[in-house]
Amino acid sequence: MAQDSTVRKPVRVWVDGCFDMMHFGHANALRQARAMGDYLVVGVHSDAEVERNKGPCVMKEDERYAAVAACKWVDELVKDAPYVTTLEMLDEYDIDFVVHGDDITTAADGTDCYQLVKDAGRYRECRRTVGISTTELVGRMLLLTRDHHIRGSRSVRSPIQGVDETAVTNFSQGSMPAGALTGIAHYLSTSKKIIQFSSGREPRAGDRVVYVDGAFDLFHTGHIEFFKRAREFGDYLLVGVHDDQTVNAIKGGNFPVMNLQERVLGALQCRYVDEVIIGAPYSVTKDVLEDVYHVDAVVHGASDQPLDIDGKDPYALPKERGIYHEVDHPRLDLTTTAIIERIIANRHVYIERQARKAQKALAEAEAEQREKEVRAALHI
């Protein structure tokens, strides 16, 4: 009897967005969307589109494109995607349906960005990650600027001087419009989420294991380029992420901006990362080099490395063993501090943006509630 030779068409899924300061909440949405189909296409809006509909981005469009492309659940990137998703765009990329979080996103004119695809029956929802958003991260950095950034006993003049302190305080306490949507919070991770983000892959026999470590705060394209270069030294990339107390002791001030769990998830979503040591020691020890896996190479960026709290070189042991390497990459200029400085330099703009986004979020929440009521009435 002849066998059915029909081959199932791969299900192609579309997700679009700004992906400003690409964080693990974005990555979790992409993970869920990818699980709904076989191939994930992600459209990223240009700076001009975002400015017109939402306000200024912290990260430039080329940085946002690179960050999305580095997410391990993304199969294809589409640059300069329209802010309002069109059926023509979906047909051009042979998309079966669009996935978006369980909240409404509106364009500059107040219309639902996904109404067209909803009406066409080509819309699915995924669960939004509570406790993390770009707005949340910008708020944390605005609060960071209220304190001196210090190293040891050396004081640095606060860059927040001249800013309306009431506006910043109101933001932190959630007393701006829609304050409940803009208050400062920290995401609480679970073992399930870490498992979902983990590759689960072990080094194969003969694989060279490469170790890198750092804070990896506000995960960005500088980190991505570093991971990409480091992985070239072997076959398996092991990333050590320092705990909050260690980062704060070394960097001072209110660093890190993101807590340990948040920074671990940021690293795990990157396609170049195979495994993470949670709360790795600042100095590379014998345990790090031998107990997790046998480490063949330790790689660090070609930049100044602060000494450990005891005044010793944190890479003394791998240097002694002859396995230490330094790498350059094209985004050495992009650091966590540089991102914070962007916020500080334009602090008035971002404080105003936060207030506008709070008002917009309130309107979107009201629209979402009305849509739920309509769906319930229609028993959808």
Side-chain angles (χ1 to χ4, degrees):
M1 188 170 81
Q3 292 184 343
D4 184 2
S5 60
T6 303
V7 178
R8 181 180 70 85
K9 173 187 175 295
V11 176
R12 293 171 63 88
V13 181
W14 173 277
V15 173
D16 57 23
C18 306
F19 300 100
D20 194 15
M21 298 180 64
M22 171 80 177
H23 51 71
F24 66 90
H26 294 134
N28 193 38
L30 299 178
R31 178 190 66 80
Q32 293 178 76
R34 182 63 173 77
M36 295 182 192
D38 304 300
Y39 191 88
L40 180 61
V41 182
V42 181
V44 182
H45 312 315
S46 67
D47 288 346
E49 276 282 88
V50 179
E51 177 83 30
R52 184 163 47 249
N53 289 277
K54 197 173 185 178
C57 281
V58 177
M59 311 304 291
K60 301 177 179 66
E61 61 186 41
D62 64 313
E63 295 166 344
R64 294 185 289 111
Y65 295 153
V68 171
C71 179
K72 62 185 178 184
W73 294 293
V74 175
D75 295 299
E76 184 176 346
L77 175 75
V78 176
K79 300 178 181 180
D80 194 16
Y83 200 82
V84 176
T85 309
T86 65
L87 296 176
E88 290 78 13
M89 176 65 74
L90 301 189
D91 291 340
E92 179 181 347
Y93 288 91
D94 194 22
I95 301 298
D96 292 281
F97 55 84
V98 174
V99 174
H100 183 65
D102 49 2
D103 57 334
I104 286 181
T105 299
T106 57
D109 61 2
T111 58
D112 185 343
C113 294
Y114 298 99
Q115 194 59 56
L116 293 173
V117 294
K118 287 178 180 178
D119 292 343
R122 297 169 71 178
Y123 179 81
R124 305 284 188 277
E125 284 185 350
C126 64
R127 293 187 62 183
R128 185 174 178 273
T129 305
V130 177
I132 186 67
S133 67
T134 302
T135 302
E136 159 76 17
L137 293 176
V138 170
R140 293 186 198 178
M141 286 184 281
L142 287 173
L143 291 181
L144 267 177
T145 61
R146 298 180 66 196
D147 296 314
H148 298 288
H149 292 177
I150 58 172
R151 288 249 350 172
S153 61
R154 182 168 60 87
S155 295
V156 180
R157 186 169 177 266
S158 174
I160 196 66
Q161 292 185 4
V163 178
D164 182 353
E165 291 285 340
T166 302
V168 178
T169 302
N170 285 345
F171 179 87
S172 68
Q173 295 174 346
S175 57
M176 280 186 159
L181 300 175
T182 57
I184 302 304
H186 284 269
Y187 173 77
L188 298 177
S189 184
T190 63
S191 58
K192 178 180 179 181
K193 187 62 62 190
I194 291 175
I195 291 170
Q196 288 173 338
F197 272 50
S198 176
S199 70
R201 187 174 82 83
E202 293 285 316
R204 294 182 293 265
D207 278 355
R208 283 177 53 83
V209 176
V210 180
Y211 179 73
V212 300
D213 64 351
F216 306 114
D217 199 10
L218 298 176
F219 193 76
H220 52 72
T221 50
H223 297 137
I224 292 166
E225 287 296 334
F226 170 57
F227 286 165
K228 185 177 180 180
R229 297 300 189 279
R231 210 176 192 286
E232 294 173 357
F233 284 83
D235 311 287
Y236 190 95
L237 185 62
L238 175 64
V239 177
V241 182
H242 305 315
D243 64 32
D244 298 341
Q245 292 76 19
T246 298
V247 175
N248 186 258
I250 298 297
K251 292 195 171 186
N254 280 337
F255 287 98
V257 178
M258 304 181 80
N259 66 33
L260 176 60
Q261 291 84 2
E262 294 171 328
R263 293 182 286 114
V264 164
L265 292 175
L268 281 173
Q269 61 86 23
C270 181
R271 66 173 69 250
Y272 303 112
V273 175
D274 294 293
E275 182 60 287
V276 165
I277 296 178
I278 302 172
Y282 190 73
S283 288
V284 180
T285 63
K286 181 174 180 290
D287 292 340
V288 169
L289 297 181
E290 298 177 4
D291 286 3
V292 181
Y293 303 115
H294 174 76
V295 173
D296 299 283
V298 174
V299 180
H300 180 63
S303 59
D304 292 336
Q305 173 64 39
L307 299 177
D308 205 336
I309 297 171
D310 59 7
K312 295 181 180 179
D313 180 356
Y315 296 101
L317 181 58
K319 287 177 180 178
E320 179 185 315
R321 294 189 177 188
I323 60 173
Y324 177 79
H325 307 273
E326 290 188 351
V327 293
D328 283 315
H329 61 76
R331 295 316 312 262
L332 284 171
D333 60 315
L334 185 59
T335 63
T336 300
T337 300
I339 294 172
I340 294 173
E341 287 174 348
R342 291 182 187 182
I343 300 294
I344 296 171
N346 297 282
R347 52 193 180 270
H348 294 289
V349 173
Y350 285 109
I351 289 173
E352 291 171 3
R353 186 188 88 156
Q354 299 295 77
R356 290 197 308 272
K357 288 187 71 175
Q359 292 280 16
K360 187 170 182 281
L362 182 58
E364 290 172 346
E366 291 173 348
E368 182 181 348
Q369 182 59 36
R370 289 193 298 270
E371 182 177 282
K372 287 179 179 178
E373 290 171 357
V374 170
R375 289 166 64 93
L378 296 174
H379 304 290
I380 297 178

